[in-house]
Amino acid sequence: METVIEMNQLGKTFGKTQALKEVTFKINKGEVVGFIGPNGAGKSTTIRILLGLIQADGGTATIFGQDVWKEAVSIHERVAYVPGDVNLWPQLTGGEVIDLFLSMRGKKVDQERKAELIKRFEFDPTKKCQAYSKGNRQKVALIAAFAADADVYIFDEPTSGLDPLQERVFQDYVKEVKARGASVLLSSHILSEVEQICDRVAIIRQGEIVEEGNLDDLRHLTRTLMTVKTKEAVPTLKDQAWAHRVKEKSGTYTFQLDSDYMNDFLHFITPYSVVKLESAPPKLEDLFMRHYETVGDS
Amino acid sequence: MATHAFKQTNRLFGFSLKKEWLKLFLWWLGCLLFVFIGIFAFVEIYYDPMERQAMAMAMANPAMEAIFGRMIGSDNYTIGAMYSHMMTIMTLILFSIQSILLVVRHTRAEEEDGVVEMLQALPTGRLAHTTSTILLLLLVNGASAIGSAVVLLIFGDASITLEGAVLTGLIYGLAGLLFGSLTLVMAQLSSSARGTLTLSFALLGFAFILRIIGDGGIELLSWVSPLGLLYGTEPFVNNHWWPVLVGLGVSVLLILFALYLKQKRDLGSGLLPDRAGKSGASAFIKTPVGFAFRLIRTPFIVWTVALAVLGVTYGSVIGDVEEIIQGNEIVQQVLGGDETTNMTEQFMVTIIGVLSLAATIPSIQALIKLRGEEKKGRLAHQLSGTRSRTKIMGSFLFLSVLTSVWMQLIQMTAFSGAAVAMGFDISFIDPILAGISYLPAIWVLTGLAACLIGWIPKATPMIWLYLTFSFFILYFAELFKLPEWFRLMSPYEAVPDIPMDAFSWEAFLVLTAIAALLSVLGIVGFKKRDTD
Ligand SMILES: Nc1ncnc2c1ncn2[C@@H]1O[C@H](COP(=O)(O)OP(=O)(O)OP(=O)(O)O)[C@@H](O)[C@H]1O
Ligand SMILES: [Mg+2]
């Protein structure tokens, strides 16, 4: 597999804040990678380093094998970026800004594609930017990005202002660019979106990648949601190391089980006369949540 | 890599022109209008060589030099010499302000808004956005230089030589280029548009004060000040060209330095450290006035220091004007031959007027911060709370009045104190009293600003135009012999000339009433209209 983006032990310190400690991961050609983590974890910082907007003070980062800081201009010819907060020149129309962005790429603007995007996103390009709502400003950047024939797409919470319908349009386009072999890095807090369109996720916490891998692999690692009803009460369930978030309601227990401990659990529960036993497939959201929740611990 | 850094400069430049041409053009027109009025008025009014010579003698004293600039060409005070002497400093400042605003608007302000991030993520060079601004700066100042020279040549008399006119145009453009380049460096050091603006204007103010002190005796300081340096070309008198070369050289170095810093630094950051703030709000800033004050704290402190320094500077150059004037009949004649006219007092009146106008700036700023908050979309936070609009606007108005009182007291005390300390024969209390009697005029301006905010918020910046106009009248009314009705378009002209005239309750109360009315009107409008 051809590696498109490569980060090796990236570090970045702002004054006294260490935003990135050690970020190492790769994105391959044709891959959609979700980039998630709590507020302030370092997602935007990583992305801004990748775009050559800020300079890492440790480690290396390359896109297409070129250094992201030194070769920024030639890299950007094949990269499209959409930030979460899109601010535009108030006195220009959305259509003008899209054209400006596209013209910077030095290629001829594909008018047909642009028109299609404008239609799909239900966007009015004739209004002045100061009159756009947040979602509409985001659409300007999204349309300009998807209209560009890029090989790498970098999104930093691109859908935070879109309505659910438009979000789906966004997902469709991500799938489309993936189909033609482009790579996508998507930072997002919308976990369902990540689950929908990403092949892999990287989870960052306090400037470090704490979990990284194929979505399916991650599912295996995770916990299983169990619902069990017994004749006798099971007061010691909550003390077991493999049981998490135990809740009891009129004799029915729901909890999360570490997936590797299924056997231990069955041995443990049999003496209490099981009436009903259900297991639900692990939800990725729960896995992600775990990483959000434990921020304070370390 | 090296050529890559500038990639797309011309496209960005074209784009800036496309979206800004009207603004740039109006600025250009306004600046040239200023040049035109000066030369036209001089040719019309001071055609008599005798009168000009008398004027020259009246101007050749430390006090007047502090206002206009070091005396030049006094032995043959032609229209050209007179124009260079009296108009140069003010015009240089005007062109500098134009360029400072231009550079901040195109660099830090756009970076703060996040548009530079979007542009830089495209295949544009890391320096392209900055170099396109530099091109814009060159274009604007080139056009200013050429326009000024042409205006002077068309409307001047025989003393306006080609060489002098070209030199004058050049120093005007160069002032813009110099301060524009300085601003460009400041834009790399500070991490905000506001900070860049403050630093740049502080440098302009510093250059102004340095020139005054330099002309008052320590000549070296005049040459260190960009304003003093360019003034030293003495167009139409000696036509020195070397300061132009120095100015050009310094500009180039500043630009290179700014580019070097830009190339090195992270987008969005400055090189000066940002301090960490408090984690919670103090009881003071939880009150509406306290909150408003917190928003303007930094400019408030900067202005306090700046005006105190300006007061001391003017106070210490008053000098013993009397001695120079005494026994000079021609001068006495020019000044009206009025026995009660006293040169020192005349000078004081002008300076106190200038200082009062200067104090109006932070007072207006305090009020229109409200509009700034609204434009940034932060006003909604306040309005959605339990505070009424009246209370919010009232807080800013109150703060603005407080600012005016504070600034007037500080700078007038500084002025008086310095003058008395230097042993000049003036009353300590007179300038302070004069400062107080100017307050209602300041309030009229803030009242007008309130009306603009309340009724035509988009036109709020127009208040600066009116302030500039008032300044123009104050500074040049005497010189251009402007008619009385015209002068009265500025509220500052309704204020009695203390210490030449007595304090007038009538003027004080009438102006205060007008100001109060305007303020109330502003609040009414603000309550009724939609907010952005
Ligand atoms: N310019 C800066 N100056 C100082 N500190 C910064 C700067 N930019 C980011 N930081 C700090 O670096 C850390 C990482 O920030 P970053 O913006 O990368 O987080 P994030 O993961 O994108 O968070 P969010 O989910 O809120 O967008 C934070 O602690 C932040 O305060
Ligand atoms: Mg972020």
Side-chain angles (χ1 to χ4, degrees), chain A residues 81-95:
Chain A
Y81 165 60
V82 178
D85 260 327
V86 179
N87 272 304
L88 302 164
W89 300 272
Q91 68 270 52
L92 298 181
T93 67

Side-chain angles (χ1 to χ4, degrees), chain A residues 14 17 19 37-46 156-157 189 204, chain B residues 268-269:
Chain A
F14 294 107
T17 335
N39 292 135
K43 300 180 293 297
S44 300
T45 305
T46 308
D156 194 354
E157 298 178 44
H189 287 302
I204 186 170
Chain B
S269 72

Side-chain angles (χ1 to χ4, degrees), chain A residues 24-52:
Chain A
T24 304
F25 77 102
K26 281 184 198 172
I27 297 177
N28 295 323
K29 187 168 159 40
E31 215 175 23
V32 180
V33 176
F35 194 30
I36 62 176
N39 292 135
K43 300 180 293 297
S44 300
T45 305
T46 308
I47 287 175
R48 290 155 65 78
I49 289 175
L50 284 178
L51 289 165

Side-chain angles (χ1 to χ4, degrees), chain B residues 231-269:
Chain B
Y231 184 83
T233 52
E234 303 182 15
F236 309 115
V237 179
N238 286 318
N239 290 333
H240 295 306
W241 284 84
W242 65 265
V244 172
L245 295 180
V246 175
L248 264 179
V250 173
S251 302
V252 169
L253 288 180
L254 284 171
I255 287 175
L256 289 178
F257 185 51
L259 288 176
Y260 167 76
L261 294 177
K262 173 74 178 78
Q263 171 72 23
K264 262 184 30 170
R265 77 176 168 86
D266 288 345
L267 194 72
S269 72

Side-chain angles (χ1 to χ4, degrees), chain A residues 181-197:
Chain A
S183 313
V184 178
L185 176 63
L186 169 68
S187 151
S188 175
H189 287 302
I190 306 173
L191 300 178
S192 58
E193 177 179 87
V194 173
E195 193 166 359
Q196 278 281 322
I197 55 177

Side-chain angles (χ1 to χ4, degrees), chain A residues 12 48 52-55 69-70 72-73 76-77 81 83 86-87 89 92 96 100-101 103-105, chain B residues 1 4 7-8 11-12 15 18-19 110 113 115 117-118 120-126 263 266-267:
Chain A
K12 177 73 187 173
R48 290 155 65 78
L53 300 175
I54 61 179
Q55 196 171 13
W69 176 261
K70 292 202 192 105
V73 179
H76 292 177
E77 281 167 15
Y81 165 60
V86 179
N87 272 304
W89 300 272
L92 298 181
E96 281 178 300
L100 171 78
F101 284 174
S103 70
M104 292 286 177
R105 299 191 170 274
Chain B
M1 172 66 196
H4 263 175
K7 197 168 163 176
Q8 305 276 20
R11 198 183 295 269
L12 284 173
F15 173 66
K18 188 177 143 199
K19 75 178 160 63
E110 290 210 330
D113 286 345
V115 286
E117 170 170 331
M118 307 254 293
Q120 209 162 296
L122 288 162
T124 61
R126 189 161 286 133
Q263 171 72 23
D266 288 345
L267 194 72

Side-chain angles (χ1 to χ4, degrees), chain A residues 129-227:
Chain A
C129 286
Q130 63 189 4
Y132 285 130
S133 61
K134 175 178 159 80
N136 278 323
R137 285 200 307 271
Q138 247 169 357
K139 284 180 195 173
V140 172
L142 283 170
I143 291 170
F146 283 122
D149 187 24
D151 294 321
V152 166
Y153 290 82
I154 296 180
F155 298 114
D156 194 354
E157 298 178 44
T159 58
S160 51
L162 296 188
D163 67 43
L165 226 58
Q166 301 300 330
E167 198 189 310
R168 188 150 317 154
V169 177
F170 166 76
Q171 294 181 7
D172 289 347
Y173 275 109
V174 170
K175 284 172 194 157
E176 186 201 294
V177 298
K178 171 190 155 73
R180 66 166 165 77
S183 313
V184 178
L185 176 63
L186 169 68
S187 151
S188 175
H189 287 302
I190 306 173
L191 300 178
S192 58
E193 177 179 87
V194 173
E195 193 166 359
Q196 278 281 322
I197 55 177
C198 295
D199 307 311
R200 275 197 311 133
V201 286
I203 301 173
I204 186 170
R205 228 180 60 200
Q206 298 184 336
E208 273 177 297
I209 302 287
V210 289
E211 187 98 58
E212 192 221 327
N214 200 299
L215 278 191
D216 294 329
D217 296 345
L218 286 178
R219 279 198 183 91
H220 286 300
L221 287 176
T222 185
R223 302 165 182 169
T224 311
L225 191 66
M226 303 295 299
T227 309

